mmCIF file of all heavy atoms in Angstrom:
data_model
loop_
_atom_site.group_PDB
_atom_site.id
_atom_site.type_symbol
_atom_site.label_atom_id
_atom_site.label_comp_id
_atom_site.label_asym_id
_atom_site.label_seq_id
_atom_site.Cartn_x
_atom_site.Cartn_y
_atom_site.Cartn_z
ATOM 1 N N ALA H 53 106.483 -19.880 -20.895
ATOM 2 C CA ALA H 53 105.259 -20.001 -21.620
ATOM 3 C C ALA H 53 105.412 -20.921 -22.862
ATOM 4 O O ALA H 53 104.868 -20.559 -23.942
ATOM 5 C CB ALA H 53 104.581 -18.690 -22.000
ATOM 6 N N SER H 54 106.016 -21.949 -22.705
ATOM 7 C CA SER H 54 106.340 -22.902 -23.836
ATOM 8 C C SER H 54 106.858 -22.229 -25.124
ATOM 9 O O SER H 54 106.790 -22.731 -26.188
ATOM 10 C CB SER H 54 105.199 -23.788 -24.147
ATOM 11 O OG SER H 54 103.944 -23.229 -23.884
ATOM 12 N N SER H 55 107.517 -21.017 -24.897
ATOM 13 C CA SER H 55 108.253 -20.427 -25.987
ATOM 14 C C SER H 55 109.647 -20.932 -25.972
ATOM 15 O O SER H 55 109.955 -21.891 -25.193
ATOM 16 C CB SER H 55 108.246 -18.920 -25.832
ATOM 17 O OG SER H 55 109.062 -18.556 -24.714
ATOM 18 N N ILE H 56 110.525 -20.375 -26.836
ATOM 19 C CA ILE H 56 111.942 -20.888 -26.913
ATOM 20 C C ILE H 56 112.599 -20.665 -25.503
ATOM 21 O O ILE H 56 112.601 -19.645 -24.959
ATOM 22 C CB ILE H 56 112.637 -20.214 -28.057
ATOM 23 C CG1 ILE H 56 114.024 -20.833 -28.243
ATOM 24 C CG2 ILE H 56 112.785 -18.744 -27.870
ATOM 25 C CD1 ILE H 56 114.570 -20.662 -29.656
ATOM 26 N N PRO H 57 113.132 -21.763 -25.011
ATOM 27 C CA PRO H 57 113.840 -21.638 -23.683
ATOM 28 C C PRO H 57 115.317 -20.943 -23.823
ATOM 29 O O PRO H 57 115.957 -21.121 -24.814
ATOM 30 C CB PRO H 57 114.078 -23.100 -23.214
ATOM 31 C CG PRO H 57 114.034 -23.889 -24.507
ATOM 32 C CD PRO H 57 113.241 -23.163 -25.454
ATOM 33 N N PRO H 58 115.672 -20.222 -22.847
ATOM 34 C CA PRO H 58 116.995 -19.501 -22.884
ATOM 35 C C PRO H 58 118.158 -20.330 -23.150
ATOM 36 O O PRO H 58 119.160 -19.960 -23.781
ATOM 37 C CB PRO H 58 117.121 -18.778 -21.537
ATOM 38 C CG PRO H 58 116.039 -19.452 -20.621
ATOM 39 C CD PRO H 58 115.010 -19.978 -21.499
ATOM 40 N N THR H 59 118.077 -21.649 -22.578
ATOM 41 C CA THR H 59 119.237 -22.557 -22.784
ATOM 42 C C THR H 59 119.522 -22.863 -24.192
ATOM 43 O O THR H 59 120.592 -23.172 -24.605
ATOM 44 C CB THR H 59 118.944 -23.842 -22.053
ATOM 45 O OG1 THR H 59 117.601 -24.241 -22.280
ATOM 46 C CG2 THR H 59 119.252 -23.745 -20.525
ATOM 47 N N GLU H 60 118.479 -22.714 -25.102
ATOM 48 C CA GLU H 60 118.728 -22.968 -26.525
ATOM 49 C C GLU H 60 119.191 -21.755 -27.236
ATOM 50 O O GLU H 60 119.685 -21.844 -28.478
ATOM 51 C CB GLU H 60 117.377 -23.422 -27.198
ATOM 52 C CG GLU H 60 117.056 -24.859 -27.032
ATOM 53 C CD GLU H 60 115.799 -25.281 -27.673
ATOM 54 O OE1 GLU H 60 115.442 -24.615 -28.698
ATOM 55 O OE2 GLU H 60 115.139 -26.273 -27.158
ATOM 56 N N VAL H 61 119.125 -20.549 -26.637
ATOM 57 C CA VAL H 61 119.440 -19.304 -27.302
ATOM 58 C C VAL H 61 120.779 -18.773 -26.834
ATOM 59 O O VAL H 61 121.576 -18.333 -27.618
ATOM 60 C CB VAL H 61 118.330 -18.263 -27.030
ATOM 61 C CG1 VAL H 61 118.640 -17.016 -27.925
ATOM 62 C CG2 VAL H 61 116.990 -18.857 -27.361
ATOM 63 N N PHE H 62 120.992 -18.805 -25.496
ATOM 64 C CA PHE H 62 122.171 -18.176 -24.888
ATOM 65 C C PHE H 62 123.512 -18.723 -25.615
ATOM 66 O O PHE H 62 123.735 -19.936 -25.719
ATOM 67 C CB PHE H 62 122.285 -18.541 -23.403
ATOM 68 C CG PHE H 62 121.399 -17.722 -22.542
ATOM 69 C CD1 PHE H 62 121.296 -18.080 -21.263
ATOM 70 C CD2 PHE H 62 120.584 -16.693 -23.121
ATOM 71 C CE1 PHE H 62 120.343 -17.220 -20.422
ATOM 72 C CE2 PHE H 62 119.747 -15.940 -22.266
ATOM 73 C CZ PHE H 62 119.636 -16.241 -20.970
ATOM 74 N N SER H 63 124.350 -17.781 -26.018
ATOM 75 C CA SER H 63 125.723 -18.264 -26.469
ATOM 76 C C SER H 63 126.706 -17.754 -25.497
ATOM 77 O O SER H 63 127.021 -16.536 -25.435
ATOM 78 C CB SER H 63 125.916 -17.769 -27.884
ATOM 79 O OG SER H 63 126.294 -16.458 -27.898
ATOM 80 N N MET H 64 127.200 -18.714 -24.665
ATOM 81 C CA MET H 64 128.141 -18.324 -23.610
ATOM 82 C C MET H 64 129.473 -17.684 -24.148
ATOM 83 O O MET H 64 130.063 -16.849 -23.497
ATOM 84 C CB MET H 64 128.457 -19.541 -22.733
ATOM 85 C CG MET H 64 127.415 -19.716 -21.586
ATOM 86 S SD MET H 64 126.924 -18.181 -20.796
ATOM 87 C CE MET H 64 128.144 -18.013 -19.612
ATOM 88 N N GLY H 65 129.851 -18.052 -25.290
ATOM 89 C CA GLY H 65 131.054 -17.481 -25.932
ATOM 90 C C GLY H 65 130.936 -16.047 -26.049
ATOM 91 O O GLY H 65 131.873 -15.338 -25.535
#
Side-chain angles (χ1 to χ4, degrees):
Chain H
S54 26
S55 66
I56 187 156
T59 39
E60 277 180 30
V61 186
F62 285 172
S63 77
M64 274 318 275

